[in-house]
Amino acid sequence: MRGLVERVFATEKRRMNLVVRDIGLVRATARITLANLAYNLRRLVWIEGRGAPA
């Protein structure tokens, strides 16, 4: 179960180069939120591209 969540964090760290070293909670929250949005959009494109199961 933990592996499902760790994949998201690993993707954000390696592919998106997400390292949060911002001054202020608002900037850090915004950076993490945008990274999560980008990850979810990438997953949506991948899922939509697979097509309907036969």
Side-chain angles (χ1 to χ4, degrees):
M1 200 66 182
R2 179 177 170 181
L4 298 173
V5 176
E6 292 294 331
R7 177 177 296 178
V8 176
F9 295 139
T11 300
E12 288 180 353
K13 183 176 179 182
R14 290 190 181 97
R15 291 185 184 167
M16 299 180 185
N17 295 324
L18 180 67
V19 178
V20 180
R21 292 186 179 147
D22 291 324
I23 297 174
L25 185 60
V26 175
R27 283 187 185 179
T29 303
R31 186 178 298 255
I32 293 169
T33 301
L34 289 174
N36 289 335
L37 181 64
Y39 177 82
N40 287 332
L41 287 174
R42 183 180 290 182
R43 285 279 298 165
L44 178 65
V45 168
W46 183 78
I47 290 170
E48 292 283 326
R50 290 177 54 195

